Amino acid sequence: MSKVTVYTKNGCPQCEMTKVVLNGEGIEFEALNIEENQEAFDYVVNTLNLRQMPVVVADGTEPFTGFQPDRLKELVLS
């Protein structure tokens, strides 16, 4: 299984639902809050050029934003 990182922000329901689905599928992930971690903010905003949260980054897949349960479940197979 690939390494998964979820970039979140405070008060984000889509971020929370993303973590719920990942936990439910048994997918290990690291959650980084861009409002509390400057390196995470810089990576998401300046490197990925994204602003919508959550941002899901997994080895071997294109980063994606928002709550996308089908894409999250596909991570089980990767």
Side-chain angles (χ1 to χ4, degrees):
M1 186 178 301
S2 61
K3 178 183 177 197
V4 178
T5 305
V6 180
Y7 294 90
T8 67
K9 66 179 183 176
N10 297 327
C12 171
Q14 290 188 7
C15 299
E16 294 306 313
M17 289 305 300
T18 295
K19 293 187 280 187
V20 166
V21 169
L22 290 172
N23 282 323
E25 293 294 324
I27 299 171
E28 292 184 28
F29 64 94
E30 179 180 17
L32 298 174
N33 186 317
I34 67 163
E35 294 178 332
E36 299 169 5
N37 182 319
Q38 187 63 47
E39 286 182 35
F41 176 87
D42 290 341
Y43 176 69
V44 169
V45 173
N46 299 326
T47 302
L48 298 178
N49 200 28
L50 297 171
R51 294 205 175 260
Q52 179 185 351
M53 296 300 121
V55 174
V56 178
V57 177
D59 294 338
T61 65
E62 191 72 26
F64 61 92
T65 63
F67 178 57
Q68 298 189 41
D70 292 339
R71 295 217 37 207
L72 295 171
K73 291 176 182 180
E74 288 173 7
L75 296 175
V76 173
L77 305 174
S78 61

